[in-house]
């Protein structure tokens, strides 16, 4: 039985439960990066205070007890953390940047009504947000479609699933209003087979600008001088080897990489060590689980 099952409604949030699935899945190590571990209702945020963004979020989804609640929009600081360590409303004001949920709002909203309501509110903490390019296109809708697919699967089959999401925090991300805006995001879904074996699937959402070299540096400089967000490109979505997510993020994902359901990945690496085996997605039907 999970920690959440043992906890009375209204008790302090226990956060992500590593024993939620039949196979134990602890929070990944951060490779020595200093983080603040912040438990919420059914999820945990590992906040990187230097970047003022999450290094990782991890949520448990119980498809057998999901609750349908109104969205709300009560974005707020987490009072446990100094505001200077959070990416607050000033980053999103008077521009085209969206406050992108890392833990999707609907994912932790399950269980007793009081717990579900608190989970709904908890997802609107600024620690659970990251700047994303505004507007929708096919690839962005695919990312949301992927999240819908995972949630619908959990609900239809009354399945338990754990999902890890993170921005890729690179040192060369472009500065804007005291933060650096990530160019890509990663997601790993984890579940257990009927026999109790762990399975995973990894994905990348890329909002990198198509500019490069001197042209990109000049665009960054112009945006910084004008106080505008750096140029972001159209969203592109990929299913990727989990081992590449480890390389991108610096997270320790050996257990999850071993359970990767993407079994057709070649073993020969490209020179950059990242793109080999990446599958561009244009439709949810292309997903490999």
């Amino acid at each position: 039985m999970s920690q959440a099952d043992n906890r009375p409604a209204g008790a302090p949030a226990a956060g992500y439960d590593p024993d939620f699935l039949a196979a134990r899945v602890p929070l990944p190590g951060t490779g020595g990066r200093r983080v603040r571990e912040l438990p919420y209702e059914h999820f945990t945020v590992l906040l990187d205070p230097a970047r003022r963004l999450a290094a990782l979020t991890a949520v448990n989804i119980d498809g057998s007890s999901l609750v349908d609640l109104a969205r709300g929009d009560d974005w707020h600081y987490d009072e446990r953390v100094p505001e200077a360590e959070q990416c607050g409303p000033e980053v999103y004001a008077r521009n085209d940047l969206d406050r992108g949920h890392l833990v999707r709002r609907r994912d932790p909203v399950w269980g007793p009504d009081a717990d579900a309501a608190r989970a709904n509110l908890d997802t609107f903490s600024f620690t659970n947000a990251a700047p994303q390019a505004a507007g929708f296109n096919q690839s962005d809708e695919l990312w949301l479609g992927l999240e819908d697919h995972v949630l619908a699967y959990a609900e239809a089959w009354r399945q338990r699933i754990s999902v890890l999401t993170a921005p890729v925090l690179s040192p060369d991300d472009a500065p804007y209003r005291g933060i650096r805006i990530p160019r890509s995001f990663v997601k790993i879904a984890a579940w257990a087979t009927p026999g109790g074996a762990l399975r995973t699937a990894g994905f990348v959402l890329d909002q990198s600008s198509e500019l490069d070299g001197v042209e990109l540096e000049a665009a960054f400089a112009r945006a910084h001088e004008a106080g505008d967000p750096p140029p972001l490109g159209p969203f592109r979505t990929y299913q990727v080897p989990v081992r590449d997510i480890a390389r991108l993020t610096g997270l320790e994902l050996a257990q999850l990489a071993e359970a990767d359901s993407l079994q057709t990945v070649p073993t020969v690496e490209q020179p950059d060590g990242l793109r080999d085996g990446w599958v561009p997605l244009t439709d949810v039907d292309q997903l490999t689980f």
Side-chain angles (χ1 to χ4, degrees):
M1 186 175 289
S2 74
Q3 295 168 4
D5 292 331
N6 288 318
R7 182 171 48 78
Y16 170 82
D17 181 359
D19 295 312
F20 187 71
L21 306 178
R24 179 175 172 80
V25 183
L27 284 172
T30 59
R33 173 181 290 168
R34 185 176 75 88
V35 296
R36 293 186 182 273
E37 184 172 332
L38 302 171
Y40 297 95
E41 196 67 37
H42 302 148
F43 70 96
T44 291
V45 172
L46 300 183
L47 178 69
D48 182 333
R51 286 294 300 263
R52 300 171 59 193
L53 296 168
L56 176 72
T57 67
V59 61
N60 304 126
I61 306 171
D62 187 347
S64 68
S65 59
L66 289 166
V67 177
D68 188 14
L69 294 180
R71 172 187 168 87
D73 198 34
D74 187 13
W75 286 98
H76 56 276
Y77 286 107
D78 187 322
E79 295 180 352
R80 297 171 295 180
V81 181
E83 291 185 7
E85 295 181 0
Q86 303 178 61
C87 179
E90 71 283 353
V91 174
Y92 305 97
R94 303 177 304 282
N95 57 36
D96 289 331
L97 292 177
D98 282 342
R99 291 167 292 197
H101 276 82
L102 296 174
V103 170
R104 191 184 186 214
R105 181 191 69 85
R106 295 174 59 202
D107 286 355
V109 180
W110 52 268
D113 289 347
D115 290 351
R118 181 163 55 179
N120 189 64
L121 178 62
D122 282 352
T123 65
F124 287 93
S125 171
F126 282 119
T127 58
N128 185 44
Q132 293 183 355
F136 292 91
N137 56 34
Q138 182 179 359
S139 293
D140 192 16
E141 290 172 354
L142 176 63
W143 186 256
L144 298 178
L146 166 64
E147 296 179 323
D148 285 339
H149 183 76
V150 170
L151 194 70
Y153 177 85
E155 186 169 23
W157 294 98
R158 302 177 70 81
Q159 176 87 355
R160 288 188 165 202
I161 299 175
S162 293
V163 177
L164 282 62
T165 306
V168 177
L169 303 179
S170 299
D172 60 349
D173 288 334
Y176 178 64
R177 295 185 181 177
I179 68 160
R180 292 184 178 274
I181 297 183
R183 297 191 296 273
S184 55
F185 299 82
V186 299
K187 187 179 296 291
I188 302 172
W191 66 97
T193 67
L198 181 65
R199 291 290 182 269
T200 62
F203 305 90
V204 168
L205 174 70
D206 186 4
Q207 61 176 357
S208 300
S209 172
E210 296 179 357
L211 302 174
D212 55 21
V214 174
E215 187 179 15
L216 181 61
E217 290 182 9
F220 279 176
R222 287 194 300 270
H224 187 62
E225 183 176 353
D228 295 330
L232 298 174
F235 287 94
R236 292 166 292 183
T237 305
Y238 305 86
Q239 183 164 2
V240 307
V242 173
R243 66 168 185 257
D244 284 357
I245 293 179
R247 291 174 182 152
L248 283 169
T249 61
L251 297 170
E252 297 168 3
L253 301 173
Q255 177 198 22
L256 300 178
E258 181 68 23
D260 197 343
S261 61
L262 191 61
Q263 296 297 325
T264 59
V265 179
T267 57
V268 178
E269 296 181 359
Q270 298 294 332
D272 63 8
L274 295 175
R275 294 286 176 174
D276 187 37
W278 286 37
V279 180
L281 300 177
T282 57
D283 191 278
V284 173
D285 291 339
Q286 294 175 276
L287 302 175
T288 299
F289 286 105

